[in-house]
Amino acid sequence: MMGGVVLLLSAGAVVSALLGGMLALRVTRWVGYVIAVGAGIRIGAAFFDLLPEAVRLLYPNLELAMLAAAFGFLAFYVIEKMTLLHVGHETAAELDHEDAAHHHVGLVGAAGMSIHSILDGVALGAALQAGPDIAFVIAIVVILHRFSDGIGIVSLLLANRVRRQAAYRWVGLSAAAPVLGIVVTAYVTIPDAVLGVMLATFAGFFLYIGAAELLPEAHRSDRSRLVILATLAGAVGIVVLSRSLGVSL
């Protein structure tokens, strides 16, 4: 049973990223809204699903849950800046210059996003052990974010003058990367205390990705108020989904 679930979730993550990449190569009109919804979903899942479940697993040591969430937020910030992962304002500023380093920036950024994809898989594998309800919510989060990541990685590569053929290859690599995280984590038994720390850490990851990475990119892609509504819709949607599945605060 577990093997079938892992296979299904892995396939969903791969297909979602590929579809996002294909969309970025062909249609750009709705990209900002897609990214905004993804940001709202990440933020909502962190606050209303991952953190409450981490607190439940770590109770009464609530301080540890908060420390792990802070660590996740700051760790992803460091990873992002060290690997040039960000595709927002810094990248936009870089594009104002005819610099031969653009090609290199695009490839390094794509590599960083592939590492980020593995972390998505680890988060999903850990959620599978936390229980079917929260695993389903996190699966929705990861699969939808894979879609926006497919858009992001292609946009970054093309903006930095990387050939379309190379962009296709990087989309494929990023799409497949979460499978490694899912398979490894899903088949390793994790104690409740460790699982709680992992979920809180990934809540910090999700908050950083949503607030510091996706939202600036969404507003850069489209400056209309509909981006705000799309973000709120993503956050409210994941909360409604969680409550309908019985995932309680």
Side-chain angles (χ1 to χ4, degrees):
M1 180 66 176
M2 175 66 81
V5 172
V6 170
L7 180 62
L8 183 62
L9 294 177
S10 300
V14 170
V15 171
S16 183
L18 290 175
L19 289 176
M22 298 306 103
L23 175 68
L25 287 166
R26 290 173 171 80
V27 181
T28 59
R29 183 179 179 184
W30 305 106
V31 165
Y33 303 135
V34 172
I35 295 175
V37 170
I41 287 173
R42 281 267 173 167
I43 294 169
F47 278 124
F48 302 114
D49 293 308
L50 285 176
L51 277 177
E53 182 65 15
V55 166
R56 185 187 70 78
L57 290 169
L58 293 173
Y59 185 83
N61 195 353
L62 304 185
E63 183 179 356
L64 180 57
M66 297 303 103
L67 286 173
F71 171 79
F73 187 98
L74 294 173
F76 200 85
Y77 163 75
V78 173
I79 292 170
E80 182 189 56
K81 298 308 176 185
M82 293 296 290
T83 60
L84 300 179
L85 175 61
H86 190 55
V87 294
H89 298 298
E90 290 92 338
T91 301
E94 289 284 346
L95 297 179
D96 291 335
H97 304 282
E98 292 296 330
D99 192 338
H102 282 173
H103 183 81
H104 175 70
V105 169
L107 294 180
V108 172
M113 292 182 81
S114 296
I115 295 171
H116 158 202
S117 299
I118 294 175
L119 295 178
D120 270 345
V122 173
L124 185 48
L128 283 171
Q129 296 197 32
D133 291 343
I134 192 170
F136 184 76
V137 171
I138 301 308
I140 295 296
V141 173
V142 169
I143 289 173
L144 289 180
H145 185 64
R146 296 283 81 232
F147 186 80
S148 61
D149 270 0
I151 293 172
I153 197 168
V154 168
S155 300
L156 177 63
L157 289 168
L158 295 184
N160 284 282
R161 303 177 180 88
V162 176
R163 292 182 178 180
R164 280 178 174 264
Q165 292 85 346
Y168 279 116
R169 289 194 294 271
W170 276 105
V171 168
L173 177 61
S174 179
V179 177
L180 176 61
I182 294 172
V183 171
V184 170
T185 314
Y187 290 106
V188 175
T189 302
I190 305 173
D192 283 352
V194 176
L195 184 58
V197 171
M198 289 180 67
L199 293 178
T201 300
F202 283 114
F205 278 154
F206 281 19
L207 287 173
Y208 184 84
I209 293 166
E213 180 188 338
L214 296 182
L215 283 183
E217 179 64 12
H219 284 283
R220 188 175 70 85
S221 299
D222 191 311
R223 299 182 185 276
S224 75
R225 294 179 181 177
L226 290 177
V227 172
I228 299 174
L229 293 177
T231 303
L232 295 176
V236 171
I238 200 67
V239 172
V240 171
L241 178 62
S242 300
R243 300 296 82 80
S244 67
L245 291 172
V247 180
S248 58
L249 292 174

